[in-house]
Amino acid sequence: MRITGFIALALVVTVAIGTIIASHLAASLPEPHASCVAAWQDEPDSPLRPFGSADLRLDAERSSVEGDQILTRIGPVTRSSGQPVTLPCIKDGDTVIAARPDDD
């Protein structure tokens, strides 16, 4: 009886850990949009600052990658945290993504 309970507990823990890992991977931003968001977070006048530490969600329909131009439409998961913004970025080389402010 104790072995059956232990196996059941081990199964529940394994499923819970697997679910947490799967949800974390699904919630992460795909590249190159994740690098674009990271580049904008380093900018002093970043439009991401009003979101603070809110969870962000990518608008895949309005985001695009064309050649070396990247447009990332991102906003907070909850609308009460603010409106989505579009972040323009440029691919500089093979792996470097740089923020491209509108005034450039």
Side-chain angles (χ1 to χ4, degrees), residues 11-94:
L11 183 63
V12 168
V13 169
T14 303
V15 169
I17 290 172
T19 304
I20 291 169
I21 291 171
S23 67
H24 176 69
L25 291 175
S28 63
L29 296 175
E31 286 296 336
H33 300 293
S35 294
C36 184
V37 170
W40 273 99
Q41 287 175 336
D42 295 337
E43 291 291 315
D45 57 344
S46 173
L48 298 172
R49 298 253 186 255
F51 299 149
S53 62
D55 290 333
L56 300 176
R57 176 180 43 193
L58 177 70
D59 183 351
E61 292 178 7
R62 293 186 175 174
S63 299
S64 65
V65 178
E66 295 178 11
D68 62 345
Q69 305 295 317
I70 302 164
L71 287 177
T72 301
R73 178 83 172 163
I74 195 157
V77 173
T78 61
R79 289 187 180 206
S80 62
S81 298
Q83 295 297 316
V85 294
T86 301
L87 306 173
C89 292
I90 190 163
K91 194 171 190 177
D92 184 19
D94 290 334

